């Protein structure tokens, strides 16, 4: 369980605790079943190739879900994610599976964020963040923004 973060503990420039992610082809099939997004470009290399892509690629909505997890893990149970948006600016390629349980060696993606603003509106204490999914090359493939309401000690 994440440590509870209070509004008073946060300042602009503070980093959100990074969240590592390793997308695999198996994960994409599970995501397709859970989300209903059965676009074959996410699990069939031949189909993805016919669409002009190198091979099957990670669902954008899966990356959005990772960013939601990044923020909800960080704010703890008393915080509230009020708003989140992101853009899918680059394609991310999943690791293939080596065994039924283990992916092949490869890249790890990182979900990251930085506090950009803190403020009070009415009785709520808000924090705005820049957030993103970063590939192993350090490229922000899925940048976004999030607004959270945090508990206050005051």
């Amino acid at each position: 369980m994440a440590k509870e973060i209070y509004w008073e503990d946060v300042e602009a420039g503070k980093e959100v605790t990074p969240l590592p992610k390793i997308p695999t082809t198996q994960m994409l099939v599970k995501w397709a079943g859970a989300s209903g997004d059965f676009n074959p470009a996410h699990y069939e290399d031949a189909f993805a190739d016919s669409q002009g892509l190198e091979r099957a690629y990670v669902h954008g909505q899966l990356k959005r879900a990772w960013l939601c997890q990044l923020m909800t893990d960080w704010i703890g149970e008393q915080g509230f994610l009020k708003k989140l948006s992101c853009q899918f600016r680059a394609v991310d390629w999943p690791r293939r599976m080596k065994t039924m349980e283990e992916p092949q060696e490869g890249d790890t993606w990182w979900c990251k964020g930085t506090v950009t603003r803190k403020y009070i509106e009415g009785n709520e204490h808000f924090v705005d963040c820049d957030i993103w999914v970063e590939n192993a090359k350090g490229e922000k493939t899925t940048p976004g923004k999030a607004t959270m309401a945090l508990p206050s000690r005051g």
Side-chain angles (χ1 to χ4, degrees):
M1 177 176 294
K3 177 184 166 197
E4 198 65 49
I5 292 188
Y6 291 88
W7 186 80
E8 290 81 2
D9 300 333
V10 176
E11 296 296 334
K14 180 179 177 72
E15 289 186 21
V16 173
T17 306
L19 175 68
K21 288 293 181 182
I22 299 174
T24 65
T25 49
Q26 184 182 58
M27 178 188 288
L28 300 189
V29 170
K30 290 178 179 178
W31 177 260
S35 69
D37 180 354
F38 290 101
N39 181 336
H42 296 297
Y43 54 88
E44 286 285 337
D45 286 346
F47 183 83
D49 182 56
S50 75
Q51 302 300 304
L53 296 161
E54 183 178 320
R55 59 186 175 99
Y57 61 96
V58 179
H59 298 77
Q61 295 302 324
L62 177 57
K63 295 189 292 183
R64 181 191 310 264
W66 293 347
L67 291 172
C68 287
Q69 181 186 359
L70 170 75
M71 299 317 301
T72 57
D73 284 358
W74 184 64
I75 62 177
E77 291 189 9
Q78 292 184 44
F80 192 83
L81 178 61
K82 298 290 250 184
K83 190 168 35 173
L84 185 142
S85 63
C86 63
Q87 298 175 336
F88 310 122
R89 292 191 182 169
V91 175
D92 293 301
W93 314 108
R95 288 192 200 178
R96 297 179 197 283
M97 297 301 294
K98 182 166 68 176
T99 67
M100 290 289 289
E101 307 292 327
E102 186 180 354
Q104 293 180 357
E105 293 297 318
D107 295 340
T108 298
W109 282 254
W110 286 91
C111 300
K112 296 181 177 181
T114 303
V115 174
T116 57
R117 180 178 171 224
K118 66 185 272 190
Y119 54 100
I120 299 171
E121 281 185 8
N123 294 328
E124 292 192 283
H125 296 74
F126 293 99
V127 171
D128 292 341
C129 292
D130 284 341
I131 55 175
W132 63 92
V133 175
E134 184 176 298
N135 66 19
K137 296 176 184 172
E139 299 166 336
K140 295 178 181 179
T141 65
T142 312
K145 297 190 177 297
T147 299
M148 286 72 54
L150 296 180
S152 172
R153 290 189 178 99

